[in-house]
Amino acid sequence: IVGGGYIAVEFAGIFSGYGSDVSLVYRGGLFLRGFDEDARKFVAEQYTARGIDLRFNANIAKVEKNDDGSLLATYEDGSQMTADTIMYATGRLPKTKNLGLEEVGVKMGKKGEVIVNEYSQTNIENIYCVGDATDRMNLTPIALAEGHCFADTEFGDNVRIASYDLVPTTIFCQPPLGTCGLTEAEARAKFGDEDVVIFKSSFKPLKHTLTDSPERAFYKLIVQKSTDKVVGAHLCEASAGEVIQLMGVAMKAGATKRNFDETIGVHPTSAEELVTMRTPSK
């Protein structure tokens, strides 16, 4: 699989889970660019433990078909690898060609994305666009929210815009990675090093103490020291998608680290780590 985004990482986990020997090839030094670095490193460690061959700082120069139907991939450094199938997951472009948008004067960006304002309105007053074609935040629930806001504003006598702040989302890798809010790098850039406190933990889930699985769990909270607000949450474990959904609610409500500390944990769960981390890691 060629690519380093969430689609490439998810499919690498899927095919590995079905028993395939998987190599993930990415031209950068570490996949999942834009996500928290500790979380990215943790996913890489988990994939390596699962036997997935991670090839960073690598790129395929050409692919040739062998007589037996297999594929021969030649890397830019001259090395080669044979595979049954090669899948490219290297990004998408908005499918806006041949819609007549240029003819009516709708402004578009370099990648073909439709330029809109906060109400999803283009420069042409009666033309609107929502979803990935606008290249704002390319998530299905965001597209639904944008469409709902448009309908409410235009037809429901309820003017409102979609919020892109504190959006919980999950990469369904193995184990899944849930994230909401700022990465550590973003928090330090926004608030300064002295105003950021990090709490993180990595451990083997209790259920796997009885199995041979190498799977571990990772939890990380990013707190703004001056306000005690939790401004970032990143967790990698089997139920990450379920947990990060409610984390989004708590963070939207302005939950502080003290609120977490005062909450009783549910035992035995991995998620109780969120309310038991007391010692800053940095």
Side-chain angles (χ1 to χ4, degrees), residues 124-163:
I124 305 300
E125 185 179 8
N126 63 333
I127 297 180
Y128 292 75
C129 185
V130 301
D132 293 3
T134 65
D135 198 31
R136 287 176 284 183
M137 186 176 284
N138 298 334
L139 296 170
T140 298
I142 287 291
L144 293 171
E146 290 170 352
H148 198 171
C149 288
F150 161 73
D152 282 352
T153 299
E154 293 300 310
F155 309 110
D157 195 27
N158 180 20
V159 178
R160 64 190 189 95
I161 59 176
S163 172

Side-chain angles (χ1 to χ4, degrees), residues 189-222:
K190 183 174 182 178
F191 304 121
D193 290 341
E194 299 302 317
D195 200 23
V196 174
V197 185
I198 305 297
F199 298 85
K200 62 182 177 180
S201 176
S202 175
F203 55 94
K204 189 165 189 172
L206 185 61
K207 65 181 180 181
H208 287 313
T209 60
L210 301 176
T211 73
D212 293 328
S213 172
E215 184 174 304
R216 293 180 63 80
F218 172 79
Y219 279 78
K220 180 175 183 178
L221 292 179
I222 301 168

